[in-house]
Amino acid sequence: MKILALESSGLVASAAVVSEDKVIGEYSTNFRKTHSQTLLPMADAVLKMTDTDIREIDAIAVSGGPGSFTGLRIGSATAKGLGLALDKPIVNVPTLEALAWNIFGTDALICPIMDARRNQVYTAVFEYQDDRLKAVSPQEAVPIETIVEKLNAYGRRVVFLGDGVPVFRDKIQEIIKVPCSFAPINLCVQRAGTLGAAAVQYYREGRVETADEHHPDYLRPSQAERERAEREKGKKA
């Protein structure tokens, strides 16, 4: 089995080729460049570096949201285009679950947080049960205070990771009441290799979809949709 994994849900742009037993190749950057300019060239580069014919790929894995609206659209469009052209299935891995896969071998709760702007984070809570990652709390967009209150109620040690860490670390340390730690920089952000590892498990379990079926999960309306709703509300007033 070979899976081409594409990650563009945040600032990180990343592409990887993974098999059942290893990450064959991975190309990641965490720099402010437009994913529309970088994602396909990175995928092409990692395929060439690993001598992988794209026709050998069994599925296309993509970070399915939440995250940057633009980034998710680019990743989704790229995955759908490749899936349609190659007649391959899409493995849609929720962004926060893929992030949580960066952490292993802990009995702590794992709490990925992504900066969702407007003083909110995209977040969820996970734990390992018998070496399998399980969701304790679903993906949601909430103020940082809300998720910390929830973690305080669980009463367990927590590991935080994600691009929300540098934004909200001081606030977390101010209000959290349970032991916590923060993932190091090499494990703190999205990676296509990790996404691909999760996708291998999804693929084995038959959790795939067609390119036509795939749609990212934004969790909340985009700014344009919110502004349109406000205009329509004003007209009715």
Side-chain angles (χ1 to χ4, degrees):
M1 179 204 307
K2 286 186 179 178
I3 292 177
L4 174 64
L6 305 172
E7 171 57 69
S8 61
S9 63
L11 284 178
V12 172
S14 187
V17 176
V18 303
S19 67
E20 292 178 272
D21 58 358
K22 63 182 176 181
V23 177
I24 300 170
E26 184 176 21
Y27 187 171
S28 296
T29 62
N30 189 2
F31 192 68
R32 293 182 179 274
K33 286 194 174 182
T34 306
H35 292 334
S36 60
Q37 298 174 317
T38 59
L39 195 60
L40 264 178
M42 291 172 74
D44 184 57
V46 77
L47 288 166
K48 288 178 177 176
M49 284 189 294
T50 58
D51 292 329
T52 303
D53 187 323
I54 195 167
R55 290 169 294 185
E56 299 173 19
I57 295 296
D58 294 290
I60 314 296
V62 66
S63 184
S68 157
F69 287 87
T70 301
L72 290 175
R73 289 187 184 110
I74 292 168
S76 176
T78 304
K80 286 168 75 75
L82 290 171
L84 286 168
L86 300 168
D87 192 24
K88 301 295 183 181
I90 305 295
V91 185
N92 182 347
V93 182
T95 302
L96 294 164
E97 181 178 341
L99 252 175
W101 268 70
N102 281 344
I103 307 298
F104 184 76
T106 180
D107 59 1
L109 295 175
I110 302 168
C111 184
I113 54 173
M114 298 174 64
D115 185 9
R117 312 297 181 186
R118 301 168 61 215
N119 200 37
Q120 289 190 327
V121 291
Y122 297 124
T123 189
V125 182
F126 299 89
E127 67 177 355
Y128 277 97
Q129 298 176 9
D130 299 323
D131 291 341
R132 291 289 296 266
L133 189 69
K134 303 290 185 180
V136 176
S137 175
Q139 297 190 139
E140 56 186 344
V142 295
I144 189 64
E145 292 86 355
T146 300
I147 187 61
V148 173
E149 286 174 9
K150 183 181 290 189
L151 293 166
N152 285 337
Y154 288 136
R156 294 172 57 185
R157 188 169 69 88
V158 185
V159 178
F160 290 97
L161 72 162
D163 64 23
V165 167
V167 179
F168 295 101
R169 182 171 186 153
D170 290 345
K171 185 64 177 179
I172 291 169
Q173 291 177 318
E174 177 186 329
I175 61 178
I176 198 158
K177 297 177 182 178
V178 295
C180 72
S181 56
F182 300 89
I185 59 173
N186 61 311
L187 299 176
C188 203
V189 295
Q190 299 94 319
R191 289 181 52 189
T194 308
L195 170 71
V200 167
Q201 180 174 303
Y202 270 56
Y203 187 85
R204 285 172 175 163
E205 296 171 354
R207 297 160 69 184
V208 301
E209 58 194 14
T210 67
D212 284 333
E213 291 171 332
H214 172 67
H215 297 284
D217 180 8
Y218 299 111
L219 276 190
R220 69 182 192 190
S222 67
Q223 181 177 345
E225 291 170 324
R226 293 194 304 270
E227 290 174 351
R228 182 176 61 195
E230 287 297 323
R231 288 196 300 270
E232 292 175 352
K233 183 179 178 182
K235 291 176 182 178
K236 294 178 181 178

PDB file of all heavy atoms in Angstrom, residues 46-68:
ATOM      1  N   VAL A  46       8.184  15.073  -3.886  1.00  0.00           N
ATOM      2  CA  VAL A  46       8.342  13.925  -3.000  1.00  0.00           C
ATOM      3  C   VAL A  46       8.110  12.618  -3.770  1.00  0.00           C
ATOM      4  O   VAL A  46       8.753  11.592  -3.485  1.00  0.00           O
ATOM      5  CB  VAL A  46       7.413  14.037  -1.768  1.00  0.00           C
ATOM      6  CG1 VAL A  46       5.969  13.693  -2.093  1.00  0.00           C
ATOM      7  CG2 VAL A  46       7.911  13.171  -0.624  1.00  0.00           C
ATOM      8  N   LEU A  47       7.245  12.652  -4.776  1.00  0.00           N
ATOM      9  CA  LEU A  47       7.070  11.466  -5.621  1.00  0.00           C
ATOM     10  C   LEU A  47       8.350  11.166  -6.407  1.00  0.00           C
ATOM     11  O   LEU A  47       8.794  10.016  -6.488  1.00  0.00           O
ATOM     12  CB  LEU A  47       5.894  11.674  -6.582  1.00  0.00           C
ATOM     13  CG  LEU A  47       4.491  11.642  -5.958  1.00  0.00           C
ATOM     14  CD1 LEU A  47       3.458  12.199  -6.929  1.00  0.00           C
ATOM     15  CD2 LEU A  47       4.111  10.222  -5.541  1.00  0.00           C
ATOM     16  N   LYS A  48       8.950  12.221  -6.948  1.00  0.00           N
ATOM     17  CA  LYS A  48      10.179  12.026  -7.720  1.00  0.00           C
ATOM     18  C   LYS A  48      11.332  11.594  -6.822  1.00  0.00           C
ATOM     19  O   LYS A  48      12.130  10.727  -7.187  1.00  0.00           O
ATOM     20  CB  LYS A  48      10.532  13.322  -8.453  1.00  0.00           C
ATOM     21  CG  LYS A  48       9.608  13.632  -9.633  1.00  0.00           C
ATOM     22  CD  LYS A  48       9.969  14.953 -10.297  1.00  0.00           C
ATOM     23  CE  LYS A  48       9.079  15.210 -11.503  1.00  0.00           C
ATOM     24  NZ  LYS A  48       9.349  16.541 -12.124  1.00  0.00           N
ATOM     25  N   MET A  49      11.448  12.195  -5.646  1.00  0.00           N
ATOM     26  CA  MET A  49      12.541  11.860  -4.728  1.00  0.00           C
ATOM     27  C   MET A  49      12.484  10.403  -4.284  1.00  0.00           C
ATOM     28  O   MET A  49      13.509   9.794  -3.963  1.00  0.00           O
ATOM     29  CB  MET A  49      12.512  12.769  -3.500  1.00  0.00           C
ATOM     30  CG  MET A  49      13.037  14.174  -3.744  1.00  0.00           C
ATOM     31  SD  MET A  49      13.219  15.132  -2.205  1.00  0.00           S
ATOM     32  CE  MET A  49      11.534  15.291  -1.689  1.00  0.00           C
ATOM     33  N   THR A  50      11.277   9.853  -4.234  1.00  0.00           N
ATOM     34  CA  THR A  50      11.116   8.475  -3.764  1.00  0.00           C
ATOM     35  C   THR A  50      10.911   7.489  -4.917  1.00  0.00           C
ATOM     36  O   THR A  50      10.575   6.318  -4.674  1.00  0.00           O
ATOM     37  CB  THR A  50       9.910   8.385  -2.807  1.00  0.00           C
ATOM     38  OG1 THR A  50       8.726   8.833  -3.488  1.00  0.00           O
ATOM     39  CG2 THR A  50      10.130   9.239  -1.577  1.00  0.00           C
ATOM     40  N   ASP A  51      11.132   7.964  -6.158  1.00  0.00           N
ATOM     41  CA  ASP A  51      10.958   7.107  -7.341  1.00  0.00           C
ATOM     42  C   ASP A  51       9.590   6.438  -7.354  1.00  0.00           C
ATOM     43  O   ASP A  51       9.454   5.245  -7.682  1.00  0.00           O
ATOM     44  CB  ASP A  51      12.054   6.043  -7.412  1.00  0.00           C
ATOM     45  CG  ASP A  51      13.427   6.643  -7.682  1.00  0.00           C
ATOM     46  OD1 ASP A  51      13.486   7.688  -8.363  1.00  0.00           O
ATOM     47  OD2 ASP A  51      14.429   6.076  -7.207  1.00  0.00           O
ATOM     48  N   THR A  52       8.579   7.208  -6.969  1.00  0.00           N
ATOM     49  CA  THR A  52       7.214   6.681  -6.917  1.00  0.00           C
ATOM     50  C   THR A  52       6.430   7.179  -8.122  1.00  0.00           C
ATOM     51  O   THR A  52       6.254   8.388  -8.302  1.00  0.00           O
ATOM     52  CB  THR A  52       6.506   7.125  -5.627  1.00  0.00           C
ATOM     53  OG1 THR A  52       7.253   6.700  -4.488  1.00  0.00           O
ATOM     54  CG2 THR A  52       5.104   6.525  -5.553  1.00  0.00           C
ATOM     55  N   ASP A  53       5.965   6.259  -8.915  1.00  0.00           N
ATOM     56  CA  ASP A  53       5.063   6.589 -10.021  1.00  0.00           C
ATOM     57  C   ASP A  53       3.698   6.889  -9.410  1.00  0.00           C
ATOM     58  O   ASP A  53       3.174   6.088  -8.617  1.00  0.00           O
ATOM     59  CB  ASP A  53       4.956   5.404 -10.980  1.00  0.00           C
ATOM     60  CG  ASP A  53       4.166   5.730 -12.244  1.00  0.00           C
ATOM     61  OD1 ASP A  53       3.175   6.480 -12.159  1.00  0.00           O
ATOM     62  OD2 ASP A  53       4.535   5.222 -13.318  1.00  0.00           O
ATOM     63  N   ILE A  54       3.127   8.020  -9.745  1.00  0.00           N
ATOM     64  CA  ILE A  54       1.865   8.409  -9.117  1.00  0.00           C
ATOM     65  C   ILE A  54       0.777   7.370  -9.339  1.00  0.00           C
ATOM     66  O   ILE A  54      -0.160   7.245  -8.548  1.00  0.00           O
ATOM     67  CB  ILE A  54       1.417   9.806  -9.612  1.00  0.00           C
ATOM     68  CG1 ILE A  54       0.324  10.359  -8.681  1.00  0.00           C
ATOM     69  CG2 ILE A  54       0.963   9.767 -11.071  1.00  0.00           C
ATOM     70  CD1 ILE A  54       0.028  11.810  -8.881  1.00  0.00           C
ATOM     71  N   ARG A  55       0.904   6.569 -10.398  1.00  0.00           N
ATOM     72  CA  ARG A  55      -0.082   5.523 -10.654  1.00  0.00           C
ATOM     73  C   ARG A  55       0.028   4.373  -9.647  1.00  0.00           C
ATOM     74  O   ARG A  55      -0.877   3.539  -9.538  1.00  0.00           O
ATOM     75  CB  ARG A  55       0.080   5.002 -12.078  1.00  0.00           C
ATOM     76  CG  ARG A  55      -0.341   6.017 -13.153  1.00  0.00           C
ATOM     77  CD  ARG A  55       0.064   5.582 -14.533  1.00  0.00           C
ATOM     78  NE  ARG A  55       1.524   5.553 -14.690  1.00  0.00           N
ATOM     79  CZ  ARG A  55       2.149   5.294 -15.829  1.00  0.00           C
ATOM     80  NH1 ARG A  55       1.437   5.041 -16.919  1.00  0.00           N
ATOM     81  NH2 ARG A  55       3.467   5.293 -15.887  1.00  0.00           N
ATOM     82  N   GLU A  56       1.154   4.333  -8.877  1.00  0.00           N
ATOM     83  CA  GLU A  56       1.317   3.315  -7.843  1.00  0.00           C
ATOM     84  C   GLU A  56       0.547   3.661  -6.574  1.00  0.00           C
ATOM     85  O   GLU A  56       0.362   2.808  -5.702  1.00  0.00           O
ATOM     86  CB  GLU A  56       2.793   3.158  -7.469  1.00  0.00           C
ATOM     87  CG  GLU A  56       3.709   2.722  -8.603  1.00  0.00           C
ATOM     88  CD  GLU A  56       5.165   2.757  -8.175  1.00  0.00           C
ATOM     89  OE1 GLU A  56       5.436   2.752  -6.953  1.00  0.00           O
ATOM     90  OE2 GLU A  56       6.037   2.797  -9.057  1.00  0.00           O
ATOM     91  N   ILE A  57       0.124   4.908  -6.469  1.00  0.00           N
ATOM     92  CA  ILE A  57      -0.551   5.371  -5.255  1.00  0.00           C
ATOM     93  C   ILE A  57      -1.923   4.706  -5.139  1.00  0.00           C
ATOM     94  O   ILE A  57      -2.690   4.647  -6.091  1.00  0.00           O
ATOM     95  CB  ILE A  57      -0.698   6.909  -5.280  1.00  0.00           C
ATOM     96  CG1 ILE A  57       0.679   7.578  -5.226  1.00  0.00           C
ATOM     97  CG2 ILE A  57      -1.589   7.388  -4.145  1.00  0.00           C
ATOM     98  CD1 ILE A  57       1.445   7.321  -3.951  1.00  0.00           C
ATOM     99  N   ASP A  58      -2.233   4.207  -3.932  1.00  0.00           N
ATOM    100  CA  ASP A  58      -3.516   3.540  -3.714  1.00  0.00           C
ATOM    101  C   ASP A  58      -4.605   4.502  -3.255  1.00  0.00           C
ATOM    102  O   ASP A  58      -5.794   4.221  -3.444  1.00  0.00           O
ATOM    103  CB  ASP A  58      -3.358   2.434  -2.663  1.00  0.00           C
ATOM    104  CG  ASP A  58      -2.461   1.318  -3.155  1.00  0.00           C
ATOM    105  OD1 ASP A  58      -2.886   0.583  -4.062  1.00  0.00           O
ATOM    106  OD2 ASP A  58      -1.333   1.192  -2.647  1.00  0.00           O
ATOM    107  N   ALA A  59      -4.210   5.613  -2.621  1.00  0.00           N
ATOM    108  CA  ALA A  59      -5.201   6.569  -2.125  1.00  0.00           C
ATOM    109  C   ALA A  59      -4.524   7.915  -1.899  1.00  0.00           C
ATOM    110  O   ALA A  59      -3.298   8.000  -1.742  1.00  0.00           O
ATOM    111  CB  ALA A  59      -5.837   6.071  -0.830  1.00  0.00           C
ATOM    112  N   ILE A  60      -5.342   8.950  -1.858  1.00  0.00           N
ATOM    113  CA  ILE A  60      -4.884  10.304  -1.552  1.00  0.00           C
ATOM    114  C   ILE A  60      -5.422  10.676  -0.181  1.00  0.00           C
ATOM    115  O   ILE A  60      -6.639  10.677   0.039  1.00  0.00           O
ATOM    116  CB  ILE A  60      -5.400  11.340  -2.577  1.00  0.00           C
ATOM    117  CG1 ILE A  60      -5.224  10.840  -4.022  1.00  0.00           C
ATOM    118  CG2 ILE A  60      -4.725  12.680  -2.349  1.00  0.00           C
ATOM    119  CD1 ILE A  60      -3.810  10.631  -4.446  1.00  0.00           C
ATOM    120  N   ALA A  61      -4.539  10.958   0.763  1.00  0.00           N
ATOM    121  CA  ALA A  61      -4.958  11.389   2.096  1.00  0.00           C
ATOM    122  C   ALA A  61      -4.888  12.902   2.179  1.00  0.00           C
ATOM    123  O   ALA A  61      -3.959  13.525   1.656  1.00  0.00           O
ATOM    124  CB  ALA A  61      -4.068  10.776   3.168  1.00  0.00           C
ATOM    125  N   VAL A  62      -5.870  13.488   2.838  1.00  0.00           N
ATOM    126  CA  VAL A  62      -5.905  14.941   2.960  1.00  0.00           C
ATOM    127  C   VAL A  62      -6.395  15.318   4.349  1.00  0.00           C
ATOM    128  O   VAL A  62      -7.224  14.622   4.952  1.00  0.00           O
ATOM    129  CB  VAL A  62      -6.812  15.567   1.866  1.00  0.00           C
ATOM    130  CG1 VAL A  62      -8.269  15.169   2.056  1.00  0.00           C
ATOM    131  CG2 VAL A  62      -6.671  17.080   1.822  1.00  0.00           C
ATOM    132  N   SER A  63      -5.850  16.402   4.860  1.00  0.00           N
ATOM    133  CA  SER A  63      -6.301  16.945   6.135  1.00  0.00           C
ATOM    134  C   SER A  63      -7.677  17.577   5.922  1.00  0.00           C
ATOM    135  O   SER A  63      -7.822  18.544   5.186  1.00  0.00           O
ATOM    136  CB  SER A  63      -5.296  17.993   6.631  1.00  0.00           C
ATOM    137  OG  SER A  63      -5.634  18.479   7.900  1.00  0.00           O
ATOM    138  N   GLY A  64      -8.696  17.005   6.554  1.00  0.00           N
ATOM    139  CA  GLY A  64     -10.069  17.336   6.207  1.00  0.00           C
ATOM    140  C   GLY A  64     -10.718  18.461   6.970  1.00  0.00           C
ATOM    141  O   GLY A  64     -11.901  18.718   6.799  1.00  0.00           O
ATOM    142  N   GLY A  65      -9.967  19.136   7.842  1.00  0.00           N
ATOM    143  CA  GLY A  65     -10.527  20.239   8.583  1.00  0.00           C
ATOM    144  C   GLY A  65     -10.743  19.868  10.037  1.00  0.00           C
ATOM    145  O   GLY A  65     -10.746  18.689  10.400  1.00  0.00           O
ATOM    146  N   PRO A  66     -10.835  20.907  10.866  1.00  0.00           N
ATOM    147  CA  PRO A  66     -10.901  22.336  10.543  1.00  0.00           C
ATOM    148  C   PRO A  66      -9.525  22.913  10.235  1.00  0.00           C
ATOM    149  O   PRO A  66      -8.527  22.204  10.259  1.00  0.00           O
ATOM    150  CB  PRO A  66     -11.481  22.944  11.818  1.00  0.00           C
ATOM    151  CG  PRO A  66     -10.925  22.076  12.903  1.00  0.00           C
ATOM    152  CD  PRO A  66     -10.922  20.677  12.319  1.00  0.00           C
ATOM    153  N   GLY A  67      -9.516  24.219   9.995  1.00  0.00           N
ATOM    154  CA  GLY A  67      -8.267  24.913   9.727  1.00  0.00           C
ATOM    155  C   GLY A  67      -8.519  26.150   8.899  1.00  0.00           C
ATOM    156  O   GLY A  67      -9.642  26.667   8.844  1.00  0.00           O
ATOM    157  N   SER A  68      -7.478  26.630   8.270  1.00  0.00           N
ATOM    158  CA  SER A  68      -7.584  27.785   7.387  1.00  0.00           C
ATOM    159  C   SER A  68      -8.560  27.471   6.259  1.00  0.00           C
ATOM    160  O   SER A  68      -8.439  26.449   5.591  1.00  0.00           O
ATOM    161  CB  SER A  68      -6.199  28.110   6.808  1.00  0.00           C
ATOM    162  OG  SER A  68      -6.301  28.826   5.607  1.00  0.00           O
TER     163      SER A  68
END
